Amino acid sequence: MRTADLVPGDVVLEVGPGLGSLTLGLLPACAHVTAVEIDPRLADRLPVTVAARAPALADRLTVVTADALRVTELPGPPPTALVANLPYNIAVPVLLHLLELLPTLRTALVLVQAEVADRLAAAPGSAAYGVPSVKAAWYADVRRAGNVPRPVFWPVPNVDSGLVALVRRPSPPGDRAATFAAIDAAFATRRKGLRAALARWAGSPAAAEARLRAAGIEPTTRGEQLSVTEFARLAATAPDVGA
């Protein structure tokens, strides 16, 4: 809660509230909490728990029984902050989906597997830098915000956990879908230089080289060396630039 740095007017989106321990901490710190829970048993129980433990704040809670990966709209006021212990097996897809779906989100603080936290916050050129790093950077400035020890969980997991903080900023100039396609292609064979890695994406190695040069990128560069802005610039080059 301290790290989330919420303000009283925030509308918080929580994904996977489970038994509600984080929900009970969020309610006094913000104007409203929208909790998305896929398990109908837990979703039905959460309002009962809040009514019993924080009755004066019960009207601040909205529970949505849904899969966060498939949510296309949310009831009530638009969320301004995402604070969640994300389901570890789908943490990155959920985070990226919500950042795209909800432009009103100005901040996010998510708890994920430590390895995933490292990847999300990694800088270009580092070993952990990859698809999650670049795609998250499309939406926000991302940083590691701390570690969470295993014994605080029930049941105790077999993995380490880490907090990741995101602060929304304008996306680079360019098309998101086209940029993400270039990112996926570049990291599909991350050991290769981009001339070879992007051959299928561009149509041929020669076409890939032409587009890379048009974007001001050396063709022997690897994907892990490019920033999200450079990927956006590459995606914006004309497909027939090498023709």
Side-chain angles (χ1 to χ4, degrees):
M1 289 303 305
R2 287 192 302 270
T3 307
D5 197 24
L6 300 173
V7 298
D10 271 325
V11 176
V12 175
L13 172 62
E14 184 185 5
V15 174
L19 299 177
S21 56
L22 177 58
T23 313
L24 290 167
L26 289 169
L27 288 169
C30 64
H32 197 84
V33 173
T34 300
V36 177
E37 173 57 62
I38 193 171
D39 187 327
R41 297 167 300 172
L42 293 173
D44 289 346
R45 186 65 194 173
L46 187 57
V48 177
T49 300
V50 170
R53 294 180 175 268
L57 303 175
D59 61 345
R60 296 187 185 184
L61 174 68
T62 298
V63 179
V64 177
T65 308
D67 182 348
L69 271 175
R70 291 177 169 81
V71 165
T72 57
E73 60 181 0
L74 293 171
T80 59
L82 169 66
V83 184
N85 173 15
L86 291 178
Y88 283 10
N89 59 324
I90 55 169
V92 171
V94 166
L95 177 62
L96 295 176
H97 171 62
L98 294 175
L99 287 169
E100 177 62 21
L101 177 70
L102 303 168
T104 56
L105 286 175
R106 61 174 181 82
T107 64
L109 181 72
V110 294
L111 184 62
V112 296
Q113 188 173 337
E115 182 181 355
V116 174
D118 291 339
R119 290 176 181 172
L120 284 168
S126 63
Y129 189 70
V131 172
S133 325
V134 196
K135 290 185 177 180
W138 175 268
Y139 300 100
D141 291 320
V142 188
R143 64 177 176 85
R144 276 290 242 116
N147 299 308
V148 179
R150 298 183 187 190
V152 306
F153 294 94
W154 176 84
V156 177
N158 293 321
V159 296
D160 295 317
S161 302
L163 288 166
V164 178
L166 300 93
V167 177
R168 176 86 71 167
R169 55 161 171 68
S171 298
D175 180 78
R176 182 195 64 84
T179 302
F180 280 19
I183 293 166
D184 289 335
F187 285 97
T189 52
R190 64 180 295 154
R191 293 181 180 274
K192 294 183 178 180
L194 286 172
R195 184 183 190 276
L198 295 176
R200 179 176 294 184
W201 170 79
S204 70
E209 178 171 349
R211 294 187 69 171
L212 286 160
R213 292 196 183 280
I217 300 167
E218 173 58 44
T220 57
T221 302
R222 292 182 178 181
E224 63 201 43
Q225 296 171 277
L226 297 190
S227 68
V228 66
T229 301
E230 290 171 309
F231 272 112
R233 192 166 70 238
L234 172 62
T237 58
D240 59 351
V241 71

